[in-house]
C-alpha cells in the first residue's frame, strides 16, 4: 500500500481527521494545538494522526493535498485547510456548520 493509499484510507475511515504534529493530548506545535482546541470546543470526535511519527507520512500528506503545511483538517473526506483557514472558518461560524455535517 502506498502512502497515498494509506492517507486516503485514514480519511475515508473517519468523519473528521486532523493530520498534526504530536497528538491531540500533546500537540507539538502551536498551530496543531490551536486546531485541537477549536475541535474540542465544539465537542468534535476526531481522529488525529501524528505526522512526526513517520517522515513518509509527513511528506506524503503535503503531497496528497498539495498543501505545504501541517496541521491539515479533513471533514467527510474533504480537505478543509490548515490552521489559518480553520481559524477563519471558526470566526465566521462556518466551521460549526461543517462539523455538524460530520
Amino acid at each position: 500500500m502506498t502512502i497515498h493509499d494509506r492517507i486516503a484510507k485514514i480519511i475515508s475511515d473517519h468523519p473528521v481527521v486532523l493530520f498534526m504534529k504530536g497528538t491531540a493530548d500533546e500537540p507539538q506545535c502551536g498551530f496543531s494545538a490551536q486546531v485541537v482546541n477549536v475541535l474540542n470546543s465544539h465537542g468534535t470526535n476526531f481522529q488525529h494522526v501524528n505526522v512526526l511519527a513517520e517522515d513518509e507520512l509527513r511528506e506524503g500528506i503535503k503531497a496528497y493535498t498539495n498543501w505545504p503545511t501541517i496541521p491539515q483538517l479533513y471533514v467527510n473526506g474533504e480537505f478543509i485547510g490548515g490552521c489559518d483557514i480553520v481559524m477563519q472558518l471558526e470566526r465566521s461560524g462556518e466551521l460549526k456548520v461543517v462539523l455538524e455535517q460530520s
Side-chain angles (χ1 to χ4, degrees):
M1 180 181 289
T2 68
I3 192 65
H4 181 93
D5 293 337
R6 284 180 48 210
I7 291 167
K9 180 162 178 33
I10 293 167
I11 292 168
S12 70
D13 285 353
H14 304 281
V16 181
V17 181
L18 180 63
F19 290 86
M20 61 180 291
K21 293 179 180 176
T23 65
D25 293 332
E26 292 185 33
Q28 293 186 4
C29 87
F31 298 117
S32 291
Q34 285 182 51
V35 177
V36 167
N37 288 338
V38 167
L39 293 174
N40 286 339
S41 76
H42 288 282
T44 304
N45 290 323
F46 64 97
Q47 177 70 33
H48 71 272
V49 180
N50 180 3
V51 300
L52 297 177
E54 189 179 335
D55 285 340
E56 184 181 25
L57 183 59
R58 184 177 183 173
E59 295 308 313
I61 191 63
K62 293 175 187 179
Y64 185 83
T65 54
N66 197 26
W67 191 262
T69 60
I70 310 275
Q72 294 187 14
L73 179 65
Y74 293 78
V75 178
N76 295 326
E78 180 183 344
F79 175 56
I80 302 301
C83 182
D84 290 348
I85 291 171
V86 170
M87 298 313 288
Q88 287 173 352
L89 292 172
E90 173 65 5
R91 285 190 292 275
S92 72
E94 293 175 72
L95 185 63
K96 180 179 179 185
V97 174
V98 169
L99 292 173
E100 286 173 349
Q101 297 170 359
S102 65

